[in-house]
């Protein structure tokens, strides 16, 4: 699949990308990560005619490429990718991010979750997980995670498919290094930067944990 010039110009609009299931990745490093991840690249837009390893290439002017990019430094290449859709079901342990608004925090938590073997990430009313800031702060690992954008109602209705136990990250919770976590799939809930985890999550059969500084 390739995009028309008119569609390429619309890609700057976040609402257009979301409604069509697209997201953008900028720079050779992250675009190569996309190739390795198996994410579908719908269109490649570059100002370098020597880049031939990417699919569906359009060579455009530097000015047009700069108008698409969100970073100040010219990235030479932008890949338009297809958003992956996953069933609400965890293959193992998972984390739930509740209303996190800072893209840097979202990306860092995705990177940390994958490092600890938490493959499924559930995002409830969070910052756009496919934004350039999230992908960069995750150092590209957001391309490898099983990302689920869900509503709170969807999450509660599918809780048995997500985990057997839920642990809320809380300042007054038991230190994660001093408690014995239950056996079975567990999901760690991390709340909004200022307000923490919403009260409604207390309806889950959960434990409260803290991570010492």
């Amino acid at each position: 699949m390739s995009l028309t010039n008119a569609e390429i110009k619309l890609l700057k609009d976040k609402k257009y990308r979301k409604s069509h299931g697209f997201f953008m990745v900028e720079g050779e490093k992250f675009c190569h990560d996309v190739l390795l991840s198996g994410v579908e690249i719908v269109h490649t837009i570059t100002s370098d005619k020597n880049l031939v390893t990417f699919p569906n290439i359009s060579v455009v002017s530097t000015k047009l490429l700069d108008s698409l990019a969100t970073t100040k430094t010219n990235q030479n290449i932008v890949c338009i990718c297809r958003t992956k859709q996953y069933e609400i079901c965890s293959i193992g342990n998972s984390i739930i991010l509740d209303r996190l608004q800072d893209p840097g925090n979202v990306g860092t938590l995705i990177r940390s979750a994958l490092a600890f073997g938490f493959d499924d990430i559930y995002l409830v009313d969070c910052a756009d997980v496919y934004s350039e800031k999230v992908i960069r702060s995750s150092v590209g690992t957001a391309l490898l995670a099983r990302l689920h954008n869900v509503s709170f109602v969807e999450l509660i209705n599918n809780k048995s498919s997500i985990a057997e136990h839920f642990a809320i990250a809380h300042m007054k919770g038991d230190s994660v290094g001093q408690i014995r976590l239950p056996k079975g799939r567990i999901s760690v809930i991390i709340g909004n930067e200022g307000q923490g985890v919403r009260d409604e999550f207390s309806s889950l059969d959960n434990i409260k944990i803290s991570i010492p500084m």
Side-chain angles (χ1 to χ4, degrees):
M1 174 184 175
S2 295
L3 303 176
T4 65
N5 287 338
E7 288 172 325
I8 289 174
K9 292 178 181 179
L10 287 170
L11 289 169
K12 187 71 175 177
D13 181 35
K14 175 182 172 182
K15 289 183 179 179
Y16 176 85
R17 294 198 308 272
K18 186 174 182 179
S19 66
H20 286 74
F22 297 148
F23 67 97
M24 294 199 307
V25 178
E26 302 174 28
E28 281 193 60
K29 189 271 180 194
F30 293 117
C31 287
H32 277 293
D33 287 345
V34 173
L35 283 177
L36 295 174
S37 72
V39 171
E40 179 190 355
I41 298 176
V42 175
H43 203 108
T44 305
I45 305 168
T46 180
S47 57
D48 185 354
K49 62 183 179 181
N50 296 315
L51 283 177
V52 296
T53 57
F54 295 89
N56 302 323
I57 289 181
S58 289
V59 179
V60 300
S61 67
T62 300
K63 183 178 180 180
L64 176 56
L65 193 62
D66 286 347
S67 71
L68 284 176
T70 60
T71 52
K72 292 182 180 180
T73 305
N74 182 280
Q75 294 295 334
N76 195 40
I77 181 173
V78 171
C79 282
I80 311 306
C81 306
R82 178 82 64 192
T83 303
K84 275 191 173 182
Q85 301 294 330
Y86 294 99
E87 182 182 356
I88 304 179
C89 181
S90 301
I91 59 176
N93 294 330
S94 61
I95 66 168
I96 296 169
L97 303 183
D98 178 28
R99 300 170 300 156
L100 268 74
Q101 298 306 304
D102 186 292
N105 290 340
V106 173
T108 299
L109 284 166
I110 290 173
R111 184 178 70 206
S112 300
L114 290 181
F116 283 96
F118 287 59
D119 297 303
D120 285 273
I121 318 292
Y122 295 88
L123 301 111
V124 186
D125 302 326
C126 290
D128 180 11
V129 73
Y130 289 109
S131 72
E132 179 67 16
K133 289 182 179 179
V134 170
I135 291 173
R136 287 192 173 276
S137 59
S138 77
V139 197
T141 57
L143 301 168
L144 305 174
R146 287 166 50 88
L147 302 174
H148 309 262
N149 278 299
V150 297
S151 68
F152 177 76
V153 172
E154 286 176 317
L155 190 142
I156 295 299
N157 288 343
N158 292 276
K159 63 182 181 180
S160 61
S161 297
I162 293 172
E164 296 162 71
H165 309 282
F166 294 86
I168 292 179
H170 194 280
M171 289 183 64
K172 296 182 179 180
D174 296 320
S175 172
V176 71
Q178 297 177 354
I179 62 172
R180 185 184 295 274
L181 294 174
K183 293 182 179 180
R185 291 175 304 148
I186 190 167
S187 191
V188 177
I189 307 170
I190 300 174
N192 172 270
E193 291 88 348
Q195 301 172 19
V197 174
R198 71 182 78 194
D199 293 338
E200 290 85 347
F201 273 117
S202 62
S203 64
L204 295 173
D205 180 19
N206 61 64
I207 56 176
K208 288 184 173 64
I209 62 172
S210 64
I211 301 174
M213 295 293 287

